[in-house]
Amino acid sequence: MPSLLPALCLTSALTLLLASVTGSVTVPWTRWPALLFSTAPLAAQDALLQAVLAVRLPRVLAAFACGGLLAVAGAMMQVLLANPLADPYVLGVSGGAATGALLVLMLGVAALPVSMGALLGAGVALTLVLMRGSRDHQQDTTRLLLGGVVLAAGWSALITLLLALAPESRLRGMVFWLMGDLDGVTAWWLPTTALALVLILLRPLAADLNVLLRGEVLAFSLGVPVARRRLQLVLLAGLATALAVATVGSIGFVGLLVPHAVRLRIGNDQRRLLPASALLGGCLLTLADLAARTCCSPVQLPVGVLTALLGVPCFLWLLRGTRS
């Protein structure tokens, strides 16, 4: 429906505002104008506004951007593999990112940030994805899916090995990161910029993606460069997943649940589905993170656990609506 995108834009703005002023220390309603429109330097503002602007706001923006990246990556993978059960992690890129991040955490390499280790691991995984495949258009999708399953299993084994070898002092942090952790995230600009770039790059491809949904043979006969579009989708989905996992850890169900929910509402037109998925995915992860840091305050829950607890019943409910 044409009204969904404006409604999601308004919902996104309200979600970002709510998450920014709500937490263990809540900003009173009377202070919202000062938070939104203050032009004073950060050092000249009071401690409350400093906490919101310097600590909470970057976390909120990172959560929104990473949720959008995971949702868009999930939508791309469902088009690429013609499989409604595809999600951003099906290529095994997230497993590589998790392995790299856990290796940095286990070794305690002070000069190498955890996010950089995750990006390096994701780069290795994405390289392995691009190295396999076939020139045969009919076999590429199947090979990609099977190869992703095998790679994911291999990364899972490495992750288990790292957890088994990790010292007790670092094990809890490794497990917490693996379940999704936004605590201490400050590099909000990286996933935010990546989300904007991915949506801009996908915009001219959306018409071809709509044709690809009807089958690769038909798309090829209609002049769609199938092999090139497949490579573009793999690269964009892999990079979006890598940046999201490097920033917030492994968070499930966002990339699987959100595209389905949007598709049931507005159909399969990728020109609207992709931006709507980005907005709804951002709202979902932002609200999940808000619940993770407030419902048991001062204890912070792993946000990935909350998205899974929410995703299972919601996805089952969505499946009920798709029965004929």
Side-chain angles (χ1 to χ4, degrees):
M1 293 185 180
S3 61
L4 182 62
L5 278 176
L8 283 175
C9 289
L10 178 60
T11 303
S12 299
L14 294 175
T15 299
L16 289 171
L17 182 59
L18 176 65
S20 298
V21 300
T22 305
S24 56
V25 177
T26 301
V27 180
W29 289 85
T30 55
R31 303 294 303 282
W32 284 27
L35 173 66
L36 293 174
F37 305 113
S38 175
T39 58
L42 186 60
Q45 299 175 14
D46 61 38
L48 182 60
L49 293 186
Q50 287 188 41
V52 171
L53 294 174
V55 178
R56 191 181 298 165
L57 187 57
R59 174 172 179 160
V60 168
L61 292 174
F64 187 89
C66 290
L69 285 171
L70 290 173
V72 171
M76 285 189 282
M77 293 311 303
Q78 289 170 13
V79 172
L80 176 66
L81 300 176
N83 189 330
L85 294 178
D87 70 358
Y89 302 148
V90 74
L91 293 179
V93 175
S94 65
T99 302
L102 293 183
L103 187 61
V104 171
L105 286 170
M106 186 183 77
L107 297 178
V109 184
L112 186 64
V114 176
S115 58
M116 185 58 66
L119 286 175
L120 290 174
V124 172
L126 188 56
T127 301
L128 292 174
V129 169
L130 296 176
M131 286 175 59
R132 68 179 190 261
S134 166
R135 293 181 181 273
D136 184 359
H137 297 314
Q138 298 302 316
Q139 294 181 12
D140 267 355
T141 299
T142 303
R143 283 176 174 268
L144 194 64
L145 182 58
L146 292 176
V149 171
V150 172
L151 278 179
W155 291 122
S156 179
L158 286 176
I159 290 170
T160 303
L161 178 62
L162 291 176
L163 293 175
L165 297 176
E168 291 288 339
S169 59
R170 294 180 181 141
L171 184 59
R172 187 178 188 278
M174 294 170 65
V175 173
F176 208 89
W177 186 93
L178 201 58
M179 293 186 292
D181 183 16
L182 277 153
D183 190 26
V185 172
T186 56
W188 59 271
W189 55 270
L190 184 59
T192 303
T193 304
L195 178 60
L197 287 176
V198 166
L199 291 175
I200 291 171
L201 292 173
L202 282 174
R203 179 63 184 176
L205 306 181
D208 285 353
L209 299 187
N210 286 336
V211 180
L212 270 174
L213 287 169
R214 308 184 67 136
E216 293 186 357
V217 175
L218 177 61
F220 190 76
S221 66
L222 292 176
V224 175
V226 175
R228 187 190 310 164
R229 292 292 178 263
R230 184 188 295 114
L231 177 61
Q232 290 168 333
L233 285 179
V234 170
L235 283 172
L236 288 174
L239 291 173
T241 304
L243 284 169
V245 174
T247 304
V248 300
S250 298
I251 295 177
F253 273 96
V254 175
L256 178 63
L257 175 65
V258 170
H260 275 287
V262 175
R263 191 176 295 113
L264 288 175
R265 178 69 175 174
I266 65 174
N268 233 344
D269 187 349
Q270 302 299 307
R271 293 170 295 181
R272 291 185 294 164
L273 186 143
L274 291 170
S277 295
L279 292 171
L280 185 57
C283 290
L284 176 62
L285 189 54
T286 303
L287 292 175
D289 179 57
L290 176 61
R293 58 185 169 85
T294 56
C295 66
C296 295
S297 181
V299 176
Q300 295 197 30
L301 302 177
V303 67
V305 173
L306 292 184
T307 58
L309 290 175
L310 173 68
V312 170
C314 287
F315 193 73
L316 291 176
W317 180 78
L318 288 175
L319 287 179
R320 288 188 60 208
T322 60
R323 291 186 304 179
S324 58

